Amino acid sequence: LAKTTQPISMDSYEGQEVNITCSHNNIATNDYITWYQQFPSQGPRFIIQGYKTKVTNEVASLFIPADRKSSTLSLPRVSLSDTAVYYCLVGETGGGNKLTFGTGTQLKVEL
Amino acid sequence: DTGVSQDPRHKITKRGQNVTFRCDPISEHNRLYWYRQTLGQGPEFLTYFQNEAQLEKSRLLSDRFSAERPKGSFSTLEIQRTEQGDSAMYLCASSLSGWLAGGGSYNEQFFGPGTRLTVL
């Protein structure tokens, strides 16, 4: 499974756009990029998934350059409730599909 | 359906005791996963079921651990002779496999709230 590298922590203020970049230099052809969010004492929650270029949903955008060796999760206009740990995962979506989490990025949003 | 549920939410036990956790997945989901999470770390995969068949087990799942999904619905995770190192959050997730438009399969996992185990 492709190993991912992401910042340990990030700080932001309410209303700002937050971009969290994840490096995955050895991503394989069949791998997808998925981001999960986790609040304290809760299970992770799926945010977004993509393969290439740009994916957008109601909560975030995912930007993936042509070489797919990195990806950026973009959270528009964050609020205090976006304070959480964000995990970048890379792997095939088929088969058993176990998820391999790293240590994630702790995002702290302040007033 | 309100999502994946887990019971109990918290469990405190003494070293050497056996514990059992239950997970009720989203009803139509055919896949069920167990993960373990310790403080400051991301969840670690333990095992996975497709319907009632246990298809993969992590090396983290020692012989003291056993998981079942007898009718392809709820699942149980039992830890025998608990050790202090077993203290962690045990997370269950379920998913329904599908296919993405344009190719590739899709497998968003829905996690439960977890069972926090403390072994004294």
Side-chain angles (χ1 to χ4, degrees), chain B residues 21-111:
Chain B
F21 310 139
R22 177 180 171 122
C23 170
D24 286 272
I26 294 173
S27 57
E28 65 268 25
H29 284 184
N30 60 340
R31 294 180 178 171
L32 188 148
Y33 303 79
W34 285 98
Y35 293 84
R36 179 175 71 185
Q37 184 173 26
T38 54
L39 196 62
Q41 302 297 314
E44 297 174 292
F45 170 79
L46 292 179
T47 190
Y48 145 70
F49 291 84
Q50 177 145 324
N51 300 313
E52 66 274 12
Q54 188 174 17
L55 297 186
E56 187 171 354
K57 293 192 289 187
S58 163
R59 58 181 173 79
L60 295 174
L61 212 67
S62 74
D63 56 4
R64 296 185 297 107
F65 289 70
S66 62
E68 295 182 342
R69 194 183 183 198
K71 297 183 179 179
S73 56
F74 74 92
S75 175
T76 58
L77 177 69
E78 181 183 14
I79 308 174
Q80 296 181 327
R81 305 181 303 280
T82 53
E83 302 172 355
Q84 288 182 327
D86 297 331
S87 294
M89 175 78 85
Y90 290 84
L91 293 161
C92 174
S94 70
S95 71
L96 179 65
S97 59
W99 294 93
L100 290 162
S105 60
Y106 176 77
N107 186 16
E108 174 184 346
Q109 294 187 20
F110 295 81
F111 283 80

